[in-house]
Amino acid sequence: MTVLVFGTVAYDDVETPSGVRTRQLGGSASYFAVAASYFHDVAIVSVVGDDFEGSDLQLLSDHGIDTSGIEHAEGKTFHWAGRYAEDLNTAHTIQTDLNVLVGYEPSIGDLHARPEMIFLANGDPGLQLLTLRSLDARPRLVAGDTMNHWIAENRDQLVNTIANLDIAIINESEALMLTGERGIARAARAMLGMGIEYAVIKRGEYGVALFGVDLQFAAPAFPLIDVIDPTGAGDSFAGGFIGHLANVETYDDDELRNAVMAGSTIASLTVQDFGLGNLAYLDAKRIQERFNQFAELTRYRGHSHPDGLRLRNVSTRSPELAAASR
Ligand code: AMP
């Protein structure tokens, strides 16, 4: 059974402190699918234009990704131009050209109507819901992402879409914007109130936090000396996260924690080159090595002394108590 992703396949122009790249293959579905392909079978539902290069389609197929759900339309492929300044956590959008996305409605063929899991990547929330409703049955896991553009333009529809997810995987700034809350714990609580089971909040170089009603887990980002291009970190995180969950029978608390680590591992490898330059050329050994380094970084078994932290008793009284005893 397959993990299905509905999202964008794009050509990106990206500027980071490490350099400039034009027309690099990107898009939320591309990053997600390539990352997830190291874990599980993946299929993409998306659209590209007549300028889409055969070699880019080949790169996706070379990962075993089912690209038969990528429609080829007349016109240009979706284009995004963005810049990262010294703060590599925040992408500044310079230009978004929807191109073939204008008027596009995904059509889910028989081949893709019964996926095991689905990821509704960043995109029009109305189309995200339409895609979910076109499936023959509800998949074992429904996850989705969004961005500031949709919160500003179409919040009501977005809240409706979120109510149909099991897991929302969303950037910190967008979680705060969506809920109007201050702080990720409050934002996650508000998102759980919208009907989801878990909120995964991506925090760039500060890592990831996972919130459920009875579960909280946080992982740092892998401390890299050189982040070359943060584009795709979020989508490749989601690819690793859901790819891992597709390989286990139930997503219990421990597997959700493992999924966060799997996603963080893949995202840390993505940002080490422009675009798919590193992500597309990984192998199981390199991913496992990074995962092991990550596990070492976060290893903590609690304090080994039987008395715990060996704290001293300091007797203090609050001003109110002191005044009452006077
Ligand atoms: P991220 O993983 O969050 O860095 O997402 C990176 C990808 O999002 C880029 O490759 C862009 O092509 C894509 N993208 C940018 N803006 C949008 C948008 N409004 N809708 C869908 N995808 C977008």
Side-chain angles (χ1 to χ4, degrees), residues 8 10 12 26-28 31 78 80 84 122-123 147 150 230-235:
T8 51
D12 294 341
S28 51
Y31 281 109
F78 173 72
W80 176 75
Y84 298 83
N122 176 23
M147 71 182 287
W150 304 111
T231 314
D235 294 305

Side-chain angles (χ1 to χ4, degrees), residues 17 20 23 27 30 46 49 57 74 82 85 96 98 106 108 156 188-189 199 202 234 240 244 249 265 309 316 320:
V20 175
R23 268 180 81 77
S30 309
S46 191
L57 200 61
E74 246 176 61
T96 303
L98 293 177
I108 304 288
D156 289 349
R189 185 178 62 182
K202 300 173 282 182
H244 174 76
E249 265 176 32
T265 299
L309 287 177
T316 50
E320 290 78 12

Side-chain angles (χ1 to χ4, degrees), residues 143-210:
D145 188 8
T146 192
M147 71 182 287
N148 48 9
H149 174 82
W150 304 111
I151 304 170
E153 297 293 314
N154 209 349
R155 189 179 180 282
D156 289 349
Q157 174 63 64
L158 178 60
V159 170
N160 192 17
T161 299
I162 290 174
N164 285 275
L165 304 178
D166 301 311
I167 305 185
I169 304 176
I170 182 170
N171 283 343
E172 174 175 7
S173 60
E174 279 138 8
L176 301 181
M177 181 179 171
L178 172 70
T179 59
E181 291 285 2
R182 52 172 202 279
I184 56 169
R186 295 177 75 102
R189 185 178 62 182
M191 288 174 64
L192 296 183
M194 291 176 184
I196 56 175
E197 250 185 284
Y198 299 98
V200 179
I201 300 189
K202 300 173 282 182
R203 313 183 66 209
E205 69 171 312
Y206 306 111
V208 176
L210 165 78

